[in-house]
Every structure is written in structure tokens, then in C-alpha cells.
Amino acid sequence: MRGTTLLAAVAAGDAAAFDALYNRYRADVYRLVYDMCRQHQTAEDLTQDTFVAALTKAASYRRDVSVKGWLLTIARHKALNHLRDGARTRVPLDAVDEPSCADPYDFESLDLLRELTERQRSVVLLHVVYGLKHKEIAVMLELEPDAVRQTYRRAIAKLNATERTGGYGYETI
């Protein structure tokens, strides 16, 4: 079932559709909020909050972004509000649990993304890891689509220039 079909069924009160929506997008939502907050329990809580919000707002979904982009936008706002409210707490390293969602793109361990600005890093991760289109990223980050494309191109150029032996092999779009 397509994401938009699932969301329409969720808006109609179909619990099985909500379960399917949750199972399909949970890992992406978790990964985004974990990348922003760096705390397992906080990421779990924000993931749950995101899906509760999606359940209550399903009827207001606009088709100008994908369902995945819509959910990630909600998740991003939840994480930003959490960080803005100063709710970020320090947790000893030995108390941190392993994330419940395996991250096949462990970009944080790569030095190459440290070369990018926060905006560039966000655009690259949202496009490469989450597979969002530039238009969806623009809606999510409240930028113009041309600004997202330019940011992406500059980030890729910076990453390729960082590597002395011909770049990391990223392609501009």
C-alpha cells in the first residue's frame, strides 16, 4: 500500500493502517531525531510523539510532499522544540543504550561531514540517507527549492574537494 493510501486510511480511523505506517517509517523518523538529539531514550520518545501527532493530523496531510517527508518534518519540529526547550540532559556514556534501529548510514563516524555547515549536512543527509527530493527538503527546512539545490551542490563540491584522491564519488543532481 502506498504511503498516501495508508495515511488516508489512518485519517479514516483504520488502526491496521496506522500500524503499517508506523512500521514503514519508524526507522527513518527514529534515525532523524536520534541524529539531532544523540540520546536513545529521547529519540524513542520523540519518535512516539511524531506518530501520535501524525495520527491526530492525518486528515490535514497535504500532497505537496511525500508521506515520509511529512513525517520527517513533524519529527524535525518535535526534535527542535525539544532542544530549544533546554530539555537536553547529559547522560553518562555507560548509561546510553544501543539504538533500537540499525543505521546503515553511520555518517557521524565519518570525518567528511564535519567539513560541512549544519545546513549543508542537513540537506545532504535528507537527500542521500532519507531519499527526499529537493522540493521536500525545501518544505521541511523552510527554504526555497533553488536554495536547497545550491546548498546540495556546494556541499558535494566541498566533500569532493576535501578528498585529495579524486573525491568521495558523490554526484551532484
Side-chain angles (χ1 to χ4, degrees):
M1 202 183 284
R2 294 184 56 210
T4 53
T5 307
L6 278 175
L7 203 53
V10 168
D14 185 343
F18 180 76
D19 288 342
L21 183 78
Y22 179 80
N23 290 327
R24 181 178 295 176
Y25 297 109
R26 178 187 173 278
D28 290 323
V29 169
Y30 174 87
R31 190 176 335 138
L32 177 70
V33 294
Y34 183 79
D35 285 345
M36 293 177 72
C37 299
R38 296 315 227 171
Q39 295 177 1
H40 168 66
Q41 189 58 50
T42 300
E44 288 288 339
D45 292 345
L46 292 173
T47 298
Q48 297 302 319
D49 291 349
T50 297
F51 282 96
V52 169
L55 180 62
T56 61
K57 297 177 183 181
S60 68
Y61 168 70
R62 298 181 335 258
R63 292 182 180 258
D64 60 340
V65 294
S66 67
V67 172
K68 182 180 188 178
W70 183 71
L71 287 169
L72 292 177
T73 300
I74 294 170
R76 180 177 176 272
H77 286 291
K78 295 277 182 197
L80 287 174
N81 288 339
H82 172 78
L83 293 171
R84 231 179 261 130
D85 291 343
R88 192 176 194 179
T89 59
R90 301 268 182 219
V91 177
L93 287 178
D94 57 352
V96 175
D97 295 332
E98 284 296 315
S100 61
C101 296
D103 186 356
Y105 302 99
D106 186 14
F107 282 109
E108 286 301 314
S109 66
L110 301 176
D111 290 333
L112 63 107
L113 288 184
R114 292 188 185 134
E115 301 293 323
L116 302 178
T117 66
E118 184 63 33
R119 179 192 273 187
Q120 289 172 333
R121 191 169 30 256
S122 294
V123 169
V124 168
L125 289 174
L126 289 170
H127 183 68
V128 174
V129 176
Y130 298 104
L132 297 181
K133 295 179 172 123
H134 293 300
K135 178 184 173 188
E136 294 173 314
I137 296 169
V139 170
M140 187 174 187
L141 299 180
E142 299 174 354
L143 299 170
E144 292 296 320
D146 287 340
V148 171
R149 279 189 281 282
Q150 186 66 22
T151 300
Y152 183 77
R153 284 188 192 111
R154 286 182 180 158
I156 296 305
K158 186 185 264 186
L159 290 173
N160 285 329
T162 301
E163 176 60 40
R164 293 182 198 135
T165 60
Y168 290 104
Y170 292 107
E171 297 177 18
T172 57
I173 297 174

